Amino acid sequence: DWILSAIPPAGLVCGVLIYIPIRTLGYQRVYPILFAANIGLCFMMVLLADQGSTDLIIFFLAVYPTITGAVQSAGFHLVMSDMVLEMKRVHASEQRFDQPSLAGIFMGVNALFCKPADYILPVIAASSLGDSEISLEESEHGSDHVREILFRLLIWPPLIFSILQWIAWRSYTLTPAKTRQIRDELIRTASDRSKLGNVTSHRSTYS
C-alpha cells in the first residue's frame, strides 16, 4: 500500500527532474525517450510476467504511473502554450489578429478527444469481465481467468497508447530554437503593428 501511495509524489518529483532537459533539449527528444521506457517496461511484463507475478506487477504499478505522471506534470501545459504560440504566428502571417482565444480552442479540442478516452478502458474492462461470468460459475479455475483478464488490461492498453505517443512525439517539430524564433517573429510583428498604428494616427491627426 505504501508503494502505491508514494506514486503521486514520485511523479511530481520526476516531473521536476525532467523539466530542465525538456526546456533544454525539447519535448520531441525527451518525450520519445520516456515513452520508449514505458514500451520497454510493458514488453518486459509481457515476456517475463503473468497474473501470478506479484512482485513484477507491483514494480510496474510503481514505475509506469510515475513516468506518465512526470510527463503530464513536467510539460503538458508548456507543450500547449508552444502550440498556441505557433498558431499565433500563423495567424499573424495571415493578418488574422482578431481571433478567439487560441488557448481555449486547444483546451477544448483536448477535452473533446481526451476526456471520452478516459471512459474507454472501464467499458472494455466491464465487457471483458462480463464475458468471464460463465467461467466463474462453471469452472473452478474461473478466478485465474479473471486475474488473467485483469493482467492483460493492466499491460496492453499502456503498451498500445505508449506506442502511439512515441510515434506522435517523434513527429513533433517545435524545438526550443524554433519557439524562440517564433517569439522573436511575434515581437517584431507587434512592434511593426504598433509603429504602423502610430503613423496612421499621426496622419489622421494632421489631415
Side-chain angles (χ1 to χ4, degrees):
D1 293 340
W2 68 268
I3 295 177
L4 298 180
S5 64
I7 291 175
L12 294 176
V13 172
C14 290
V16 173
L17 293 177
I18 68 174
Y19 176 80
I20 295 177
I22 281 177
R23 298 305 294 172
T24 303
L25 301 176
Y27 315 103
Q28 82 288 351
R29 292 187 181 179
V30 177
Y31 277 11
I33 295 174
L34 295 176
F35 285 110
N38 280 344
I39 293 171
L41 182 64
C42 292
F43 272 120
M44 180 197 74
M45 295 295 294
V46 170
L47 297 176
L48 302 179
D50 56 22
Q51 62 269 23
S53 305
T54 305
D55 293 338
L56 288 177
I57 291 175
I58 293 176
F59 175 76
F60 179 83
L61 290 175
V63 175
Y64 177 79
T66 301
I67 297 176
T68 305
V71 169
Q72 182 176 1
S73 63
F76 175 75
H77 297 291
L78 296 175
V79 172
M80 295 289 288
S81 66
D82 285 347
M83 288 191 291
V84 169
L85 191 69
E86 184 182 37
M87 188 61 67
K88 285 182 178 179
R89 195 270 303 271
V90 173
H91 284 183
S93 65
E94 298 174 352
Q95 301 296 313
R96 297 163 56 192
F97 298 104
D98 298 327
Q99 295 292 322
S101 172
L102 293 175
I105 293 175
F106 272 94
M107 294 303 293
V109 172
N110 175 70
L112 178 64
F113 287 98
C114 295
K115 292 301 181 181
D118 293 338
Y119 302 98
I120 293 177
L121 187 58
V123 172
I124 296 175
S127 176
S128 300
L129 292 175
D131 294 337
S132 67
E133 288 180 356
I134 296 178
S135 177
L136 280 171
E137 295 173 356
E138 299 181 2
S139 173
E140 60 184 13
H141 301 292
S143 58
D144 291 334
H145 182 55
V146 171
R147 284 195 293 267
E148 181 182 357
I149 292 174
L150 294 176
F151 178 76
R152 291 176 180 175
L153 291 172
L154 178 68
I155 304 303
W156 285 105
L159 175 60
I160 294 171
F161 287 114
S162 293
I163 292 174
L164 294 176
Q165 289 274 16
W166 181 81
I167 294 172
W169 286 108
R170 292 273 295 179
S171 60
Y172 190 78
T173 59
L174 283 179
T175 62
K178 186 172 182 179
T179 54
R180 286 193 295 268
Q181 180 183 356
I182 293 174
R183 288 190 181 93
D184 292 340
E185 290 179 8
L186 290 175
I187 291 173
R188 288 195 299 269
T189 301
S191 177
D192 293 340
R193 288 190 67 201
S194 177
K195 291 178 182 178
L196 181 61
N198 292 334
V199 171
T200 303
S201 63
H202 284 305
R203 288 180 178 176
S204 62
T205 301
Y206 288 118
S207 60

